[in-house]
Amino acid sequence: MPDTAPAPVILGNETGSFPHSVLAERHPAIIRQVRESLPYGPDRRRALDALLTSCAEGVIEPLPSDAHDRDRWAAWGLGTYAGQSWFDVPWLWSESYFYRALLEATGYFGSGPEQAIDPFRPVKLDELDAPATDEELAALDDLRSRPADERAQALLHGSLWGNRADLGFRLSAGGDTPAAAPALVADDSETLWSLLPPSGTGTLCLIADNAGRELVPDLLLVAHLLAEGRAGRAVLHVKPHPYYVSDATPADVLDALRRLTGAPGAAGEYGRRLWAATTDGRLTVRVHPFSCGPLPYAEMPGDLRTELAAASVTIVKGDLNYRRLVGDRHLPPTTSFADLTDYFPGPVAALRTLKSDVICGLDADTEAALVAAEGQGWRTGGTHALIQVNAAPGGRRVAGA
């Protein structure tokens, strides 16, 4: 009989591994950055210093007894993991809880002057308002004259690569990369387009990842799909509160719309279309507590499952969402993407730049070429990407596809 045991869950306790470096190096650096980015008072600074010490030397601490989401985190496993080392619990869980603890330290959920202040906002705005963003948006003017299919594919790749795409809208993600180690390691874009026919009237759900210069091309793709009739309605899922430094919140959506509507040329036109789509209900921004949870999407609650089941397709953006979609485990890269996402309530597509170890759905030749060219660095360097689609999870068929 074949071995059907699940792959081991990724932990952060292996010295030299990517998860260990995130916990041991990136998280302390984030705390120091947050500490200096806003004028926090002595109490907040002491709390941040305590979290810094905890990350380096201590264990996971429970939430305060009056925390508004204490019961939710208890259901998500805090009672099991409190008192353990950050490095010895599932990496997805410890990463997620780190950001919840960081918001506790900054007073985000408190009643003081720091309430609802995004500790990552200065970084987000610096990127969104950078001169490079103007250059990227200017590329939209040249895109207007391209044939419709090329324009669609370019906007899809802009969303895929985010701020690595330089919004030059490369029609081939391979660029000058040798074919032996392709930049786009899996490409199901034809299947994705089949789920978004030009005469479509269904609902597109897009589960966003980062704010700033990654959210902008996501919005541009949504604007295009609505304008071309490939979706009758779009629902943009973002985080209900700050998370993972750059993850998008409703405030970040407004900032991105402001940036677009204030831009000249084609970018401004896209911005005005998105503004109109928001006001007439064709574009809706949605938040759900599970978006900031430490669990895989296989454990999504019933109300979220019902909502995604009604979509023509759900596009899942980014590295963290991919880990939650397929499971944060030491998967063989040739593991079937369709098998891992068979639980999903409707058609699902992953658009992801590779920035962590988890990967599936590759053919053996592609994996071998990547390893031969780069060792295992291709998994985490952000120089490769994928478009993977499961058009009929659980054997479903999609009307109109």
Side-chain angles (χ1 to χ4, degrees), residues 3-365:
D3 182 6
T4 58
V9 172
I10 295 176
L11 307 178
N13 56 9
E14 182 182 344
T15 302
S17 68
F18 181 69
H20 187 277
S21 70
V22 169
L23 296 173
E25 301 168 18
R26 183 184 296 177
H27 286 180
I30 290 170
I31 295 170
R32 296 186 187 99
Q33 179 188 56
V34 166
R35 194 178 187 277
E36 301 307 320
S37 64
L38 292 169
Y40 290 112
D43 290 346
R44 297 294 118 220
R45 295 172 75 85
R46 281 192 290 271
L48 287 165
D49 291 343
L51 180 59
L52 182 62
T53 300
S54 171
C55 288
E57 306 169 9
V59 298
I60 295 168
E61 301 286 347
L63 292 173
S65 58
D66 60 349
H68 76 284
D69 53 352
R70 183 181 173 91
D71 290 345
R72 182 181 301 140
W73 274 96
W76 286 344
L78 182 55
T80 299
Y81 298 131
Q84 296 190 46
S85 167
W86 292 89
F87 297 86
D88 292 338
V89 306
W91 181 42
L92 176 62
W93 199 97
S94 59
E95 258 202 305
S96 297
Y97 190 67
F98 165 77
Y99 288 99
R100 176 60 184 87
L102 184 63
L103 293 185
E104 192 66 35
T106 62
Y108 182 89
F109 294 116
S111 57
E114 303 91 354
Q115 182 183 25
I117 299 297
D118 185 346
F120 310 124
R121 184 169 173 78
V123 176
K124 292 175 178 178
L125 290 180
D126 283 348
E127 180 188 277
L128 186 62
D129 293 333
T133 306
D134 292 318
E135 299 173 9
E136 293 170 354
L137 293 178
L140 288 165
D141 293 335
D142 296 331
L143 194 63
R144 281 189 291 194
S145 62
R146 307 297 287 268
D149 58 340
E150 290 187 7
R151 191 164 63 250
Q153 193 74 350
L155 289 166
L156 177 64
H157 279 271
S159 178
L160 169 65
W161 288 96
N163 60 11
R164 290 197 60 84
D166 76 356
L167 274 186
F169 296 105
R170 294 176 297 173
L171 298 180
S172 169
D176 297 327
T177 304
L184 195 59
V185 301
D187 184 6
D188 294 339
S189 55
E190 288 190 11
T191 303
L192 176 58
W193 290 124
S194 74
L195 296 171
L196 296 164
S199 59
T201 58
T203 296
L204 163 73
C205 283
L206 193 152
I207 300 178
D209 187 30
N210 292 331
R213 288 166 60 197
E214 182 169 330
L215 182 59
V216 166
D218 290 346
L219 290 171
L220 294 174
L221 177 62
V222 168
H224 174 80
L225 296 176
L226 290 173
E228 296 296 314
R230 288 183 174 270
R233 178 172 175 262
V235 181
L236 181 67
H237 284 251
V238 296
K239 305 299 188 297
H241 54 71
Y243 192 58
Y244 277 69
V245 182
S246 55
D247 280 31
T249 67
D252 297 318
V253 176
L254 293 177
D255 285 337
L257 286 176
R258 170 192 59 80
R259 190 71 164 92
L260 283 170
T261 55
E269 294 174 11
Y270 275 104
R272 288 186 287 275
R273 290 179 198 163
L274 287 163
W275 192 284
T278 304
T279 59
D280 66 23
R282 287 178 295 128
L283 173 58
T284 304
V285 178
R286 174 94 160 89
V287 299
H288 194 287
F290 189 76
S291 297
C292 293
L295 304 177
Y297 281 114
E299 300 181 42
M300 74 177 80
D303 62 334
L304 183 58
R305 174 174 289 274
T306 298
E307 180 175 345
L308 299 182
S312 301
V313 62
T314 297
I315 296 178
V316 176
K317 276 295 309 291
D319 199 73
L320 172 62
N321 283 324
Y322 187 86
R323 291 163 58 194
R324 298 185 72 190
L325 179 66
V326 304
D328 204 38
R329 295 175 176 272
H330 292 286
L331 298 166
T334 55
T335 306
S336 166
F337 175 78
D339 287 350
L340 291 172
T341 57
D342 195 54
Y343 69 88
F344 208 81
V348 61
L351 271 61
R352 174 219 182 185
T353 303
L354 277 58
K355 298 177 184 176
S356 69
D357 291 308
V358 175
I359 185 71
C360 69
L362 301 190
D363 63 62
D365 290 343

